[in-house]
Amino acid sequence: MVSTIGLALWLMATGCVAGYITALRRNIAIARKTGFPYYVYPIYPMNVIWQLTSGIWLPIIQCLPKSWWEGRIIPMLRDWSYTTNQAFFDWAGSETVLVVGPDDIVCHTQSADVISQVTTRREAFPKDIARYSLISMFGQNVVTTEGPIWRMHRKVTASSFNEKNAAHTYLEAIDQTRGMLSHWFGGEKRDNDSSETILTLEHDTMRWALNIIGYIGFGLRLIWPGQKLPDDPILAKYGQLEPAPGYTMSLASSLAGVMDHIVAILLIPAPVMKYLPFQFAKHGYTSRENWQKYMRDFLNDKIGEVRRGERERVGMDIMGGLVRSAYGEKPTTTVKLTDDEIISNAFIMILAGHETTANVMHFTLIQLATNPAAQRRLQQDVDALLGDTDPSTWEYESHVNALLASHVGAAVNETMRTMPPVTTIPKIVSASADQTITTNGVTHLMPSGLTINIVPASVHRNPRWWPTRPSEITGKPTDLEDWVPERWYRETNRDAATSTANADLDDGDDYGGFKGSDVSASLFRPVRGSFIPFSDGPRSCLGRRIAVVELVAALPVIFQRYSIELAVDEWATDDEVDRMGAEERRRLYAKAQKSARDTLSAAASIVTLKLRGQRVPVRLVKRGKERFVADPEL
Ligand code: HEM
Ligand SMILES: *[C@@H]1O[C@H](CO)[C@@H](O)[C@H](O)[C@H]1NC(C)=O
Ligand SMILES: *[C@@H]1O[C@H](CO)[C@@H](O)[C@H](O)[C@H]1NC(C)=O
């Protein structure tokens, strides 16, 4: 009896081992075909079991001799591309490396050459949409589909992303930034030289981006506490800070609640969530219920408006646009979106455009506070372009290109280079055929079905594609880890510029979205594939123009009249600072700068790259009343 069980167990174990070895050998054979270096792992690093338990294993592994795991362990770490920068690729001696496990293979690349080929050849390297199945929660949409269905969604949604709407977004971003400023200063009437210490900007930049996206997605004006709503029935219903009749939350807070608990909402079925005895589950569930009810109501109101032939609302209103394309008199497409698809697309715009843009705003403000010289240069450009004109008179057409080409645009670019909100862009080799990629004069076979992981945080700091100087902050041989907006005024690296990455790879088809350049010819132009915060090619970000317009509209509103300083409360009281001489203030500020840099370097990717519970406290001060950042020695 015992021996029978023993025999069965032995057979099972050897069966498992044999299966494991066969699978590993099959994957090794696939990896070898590519001609890129590959490394074999006992478990695939993106395996869920590893992801959940790596905290237990990593310390054990690190007790082994360093030479066994150093380098090799990197892709098994969370957020390795951001936190370890070039280390893995340097260790492997290649810009494109395969990681092979028994259960799967992934090809990581930080080669601008490879990236530009993969992103521009959409049919050969489609999006790995299996990973997005969760976020089609309300129906199919432009982010979660591929092939002809994606083209249909892209076509219908892209029509809202035009220059007319970019101009509306510009004005809305100015207004929302003024709302945020008055919130920081405790209401419209106050006239203090300095705000109180703002412990973290994260919540305010999130609200800022949410209010703008509410406008972009739904044509709604959302307000800051203390602001008054314009007189309008639709706004009265959806734009209030209080719940509309029949609801338990306002639209804005239900949306914020959905965003806060997005992972739980996507993973846990609603009926289960309803009865879970946790605060997050209750809040997540209620937010979702309110949100869905708002969306259905909103859709019906819009359909009513369209049926009654009411005039289009002014401003950008993606959902209104989708409703018109499906219910309007002259249908704009042969295939119509269903109600669920309309809601799903409106929702995905919020998901894609809210936190991404908020993070860039958040980190740019912190970096400007941390780098006073860059802040002063940005203020000079803002002064030269806008003087002391009132922001309510600023015009998209006359200002936006100049702002994009100024230190304002450079600061935004530099934040997206050093801290790209989206840290991995997953692609897959077409299921229908093997493909080839050419780099450094060698043609590589990419077997059908292989996952390709494009790593923005790495290629953005790859010295092969970016001109570098020794770091003035850390003393490292390159300054690519530092936030240096002046970099965007350096001369283009002509050597790199002649690589195949710069060949014209576009298929000439129109996928919508903004096609003009944000460039002025004299600026530094990254090699194609080396700067990809919005990805590239047909599946690149539809909201790229909108996002940069929001950011370059907002920063001048703040820096025309204010400066931003790191708060130093942790080390000194206001009275102590008042009594300090210049030298002592510099030493004090250096502590705050070091602390801010350390905090930023510990950012983590939770859907997007952001601070994990940490904060960088700051103060807004009237220009001329700075305690630190006006000091030319800083
Ligand atoms: C700084 C802000 C933003 C960044 C860094 C960003 C980044 C990206 C990236 C990397 C992708 C490609 C994702 C992939 O292939 O897996 C993407 C796609 C997309 N983004 Fe953005 N995004 C931003 C803002 C926005 C905004 C404001 C909107 C809308 C209002 C938006 C709408 C979209 C849409 C619809 C797609 C899917 C396009 C398609 O698959 O055809 N994004 N974005
Ligand atoms: C502005 O200054 C007044 C008077 O000094 C103070 O009571 C108030 O709290 C300050 N408000 C803010 C937002 O800093
Ligand atoms: C920011 O990057 C974009 C994309 O490469 C470029 O077109 C633009 O000119 C850059 N802005 C500045 C100020 O360099």
Side-chain angles (χ1 to χ4, degrees):
M1 179 65 197
V2 171
S3 65
T4 330
I5 295 175
L7 183 68
L9 283 177
W10 186 78
L11 282 175
M12 257 164 69
T14 47
C16 283
V17 171
Y20 181 93
I21 292 174
T22 314
L24 199 55
R25 287 170 81 167
R26 189 190 54 225
N27 283 347
I28 291 172
I30 295 174
R32 187 176 292 140
K33 272 201 220 163
T34 66
F36 286 118
Y38 63 88
Y39 293 90
V40 179
Y41 289 75
I43 182 169
Y44 182 62
M46 281 176 216
N47 182 305
V48 186
I49 299 174
W50 169 261
Q51 297 267 324
L52 292 178
T53 59
S54 64
I56 305 171
W57 310 115
L58 285 172
I60 301 177
I61 295 172
Q62 283 164 355
C63 291
L64 301 170
K66 212 172 179 180
S67 59
W68 293 10
W69 51 265
E70 208 185 16
R72 184 180 288 257
I73 203 171
I74 294 172
M76 309 203 80
L77 307 175
R78 272 195 65 141
D79 292 306
W80 62 274
S81 68
Y82 177 66
T83 54
T84 65
N85 192 3
Q86 302 295 300
F88 178 60
F89 299 99
D90 282 351
W91 174 78
S94 171
E95 296 182 297
T96 303
V97 188
L98 283 93
V99 163
V100 182
D103 36 348
D104 215 337
I105 324 176
V106 58
C107 171
H108 293 295
T109 185
Q110 66 145 339
S111 156
D113 245 357
V114 173
I115 292 170
S116 55
Q117 292 169 65
V118 170
T119 50
T120 47
R121 291 164 58 196
R122 183 183 66 80
E123 288 183 13
F125 303 104
K127 192 158 164 172
D128 191 1
I129 54 166
R131 297 176 188 228
Y132 291 80
S133 53
L134 271 181
I135 53 173
S136 37
M137 85 184 219
F138 298 117
Q140 294 292 340
N141 60 60
V142 62
V143 171
T144 59
T145 46
E146 248 300 341
I149 300 178
W150 164 76
R151 283 205 77 131
M152 189 264 291
H153 283 279
R154 176 94 179 184
K155 202 165 170 214
V156 186
T157 48
S159 63
S160 294
F161 290 87
N162 51 39
E163 278 300 277
K164 192 175 125 239
N165 282 335
H168 287 307
T169 305
Y170 181 78
L171 299 182
E172 181 66 13
I174 289 175
D175 255 24
Q176 290 296 345
T177 311
R178 300 176 91 182
M180 180 161 71
L181 270 172
S182 91
H183 172 66
W184 284 336
F185 283 86
E188 312 268 2
K189 300 258 149 39
R190 290 290 173 77
D191 196 31
N192 294 12
D193 285 345
S194 161
S195 71
E196 282 167 3
T197 295
I198 303 165
L199 287 178
T200 172
L201 291 166
E202 188 169 284
H203 306 305
D204 297 329
T205 49
M206 283 290 269
R207 180 191 283 265
W208 168 84
L210 179 70
N211 285 6
I212 301 175
I213 208 81
Y215 176 77
I216 295 172
F218 307 100
L220 291 176
R221 304 293 311 276
L222 302 177
I223 54 175
W224 290 79
Q227 278 187 319
K228 260 189 62 200
L229 268 180
D231 203 12
D232 175 316
I234 287 275
L235 289 181
K237 181 163 171 193
Y238 300 103
Q240 296 281 12
L241 291 167
E242 291 86 50
Y247 290 83
T248 58
M249 290 172 123
S250 71
L251 174 88
S253 40
S254 73
L255 181 50
V258 170
M259 293 296 149
D260 282 349
H261 304 294
I262 187 74
V263 177
I265 289 174
L266 294 175
L267 289 174
I268 309 172
V272 177
M273 199 138 158
K274 184 173 179 183
Y275 294 108
L276 281 182
F278 304 111
Q279 188 52 36
F280 86 87
K282 200 168 143 52
H283 186 221
Y285 176 79
T286 324
S287 307
R288 181 203 170 122
E289 290 294 292
N290 274 278
W291 164 253
Q292 277 183 313
K293 188 160 145 57
Y294 274 119
M295 284 304 95
R296 306 238 167 257
D297 268 9
F298 194 79
L299 182 74
N300 289 331
D301 286 353
K302 285 279 158 189
I303 296 173
E305 269 178 26
V306 171
R307 291 231 164 102
R308 289 192 300 274
E310 274 169 27
R311 212 161 36 86
E312 253 180 67
R313 298 187 146 258
V314 255
M316 186 163 180
D317 173 8
I318 294 178
M319 188 140 160
L322 296 178
V323 169
R324 271 190 299 282
S325 83
Y327 290 89
E329 268 172 14
K330 37 176 191 1
T332 45
T333 41
T334 40
V335 204
K336 286 181 182 174
L337 296 186
T338 65
D339 288 0
D340 275 352
E341 288 169 336
I342 293 174
I343 294 180
S344 181
N345 274 303
F347 174 73
I348 211 72
M349 295 302 161
I350 298 175
L351 194 66
H354 174 209
E355 198 169 277
T356 44
T357 319
N359 295 353
V360 177
M361 181 72 169
H362 180 199
F363 294 139
T364 303
L365 293 175
I366 294 179
Q367 291 287 17
L368 286 165
T370 310
N371 297 277
Q375 182 172 166
R376 292 192 298 269
R377 248 180 311 251
L378 180 139
Q379 283 167 331
Q380 273 168 17
D381 279 6
V382 170
D383 293 351
L385 285 168
L386 300 159
D388 61 3
T389 53
D390 192 298
S392 62
T393 67
W394 295 354
E395 283 167 5
Y396 177 78
E397 291 76 12
S398 32
H399 297 138
V400 77
N401 286 332
L403 285 169
L404 283 166
S406 74
H407 274 96
V408 178
V412 168
N413 274 5
E414 187 65 351
T415 302
M416 294 194 294
R417 185 188 68 81
T418 50
M419 304 187 79
V422 178
T423 56
T424 72
I425 302 175
K427 301 277 184 183
I428 196 162
V429 181
S430 150
S432 56
D434 294 352
Q435 301 292 335
T436 57
I437 281 180
T438 305
T439 180
N440 301 328
V442 181
T443 297
H444 297 265
L445 180 80
M446 305 303 274
S448 166
L450 177 70
T451 304
I452 301 179
N453 182 36
I454 296 173
V455 195
S458 296
V459 70
H460 288 179
R461 295 177 292 178
N462 181 341
R464 174 158 171 223
W465 309 101
W466 293 83
T468 81
R469 295 178 184 168
S471 167
E472 284 173 21
I473 296 166
T474 57
K476 289 189 183 172
T478 95
D479 66 355
L480 288 169
E481 282 180 39
D482 308 341
W483 187 85
V484 184
E486 291 72 42
R487 173 187 331 278
W488 294 85
Y489 291 89
R490 289 182 192 166
E491 231 168 278
T492 300
N493 177 350
R494 295 294 157 203
D495 265 0
T498 55
S499 86
T500 52
N502 265 14
D504 185 6
L505 298 161
D506 292 316
D507 59 9
D509 227 333
D510 184 0
Y511 299 97
F514 181 70
K515 271 168 293 299
S517 92
D518 314 323
V519 233
S520 109
S522 64
L523 297 173
F524 167 70
R525 284 190 61 186
V527 173
R528 188 156 190 186
S530 68
F531 184 57
I532 46 162
F534 298 108
S535 188
D536 193 6
R539 295 267 354 208
S540 65
C541 179
L542 204 44
R544 167 168 77 106
R545 179 72 168 175
I546 296 289
V548 294
V549 164
E550 286 176 45
L551 292 157
V552 303
L555 293 170
V557 177
I558 299 174
F559 291 97
Q560 183 192 37
R561 305 203 188 280
Y562 300 93
S563 293
I564 186 163
E565 301 195 308
L566 297 171
V568 294
D569 312 54
E570 198 181 315
W571 304 279
T573 65
D574 287 354
D575 288 342
E576 283 165 349
V577 175
D578 285 346
R579 286 196 297 272
M580 282 180 187
E583 224 3 89
E584 212 178 338
R585 284 192 192 195
R586 280 171 211 146
R587 277 198 302 274
L588 174 62
Y589 207 67
K591 286 187 199 163
Q593 286 170 302
K594 171 154 195 324
S595 163
R597 291 196 171 106
D598 289 349
T599 305
L600 291 183
S601 68
S605 185
I606 311 159
V607 188
T608 62
L609 188 66
K610 59 183 188 187
L611 299 184
R612 207 191 327 208
Q614 287 147 306
R615 337 187 267 203
V616 179
V618 296
R619 284 191 197 184
L620 266 285
V621 287
K622 278 221 180 101
R623 284 178 62 181
K625 305 286 181 187
E626 295 90 349
R627 300 190 299 172
F628 306 99
V629 297
D631 176 354
E633 299 283 305
L634 267 172

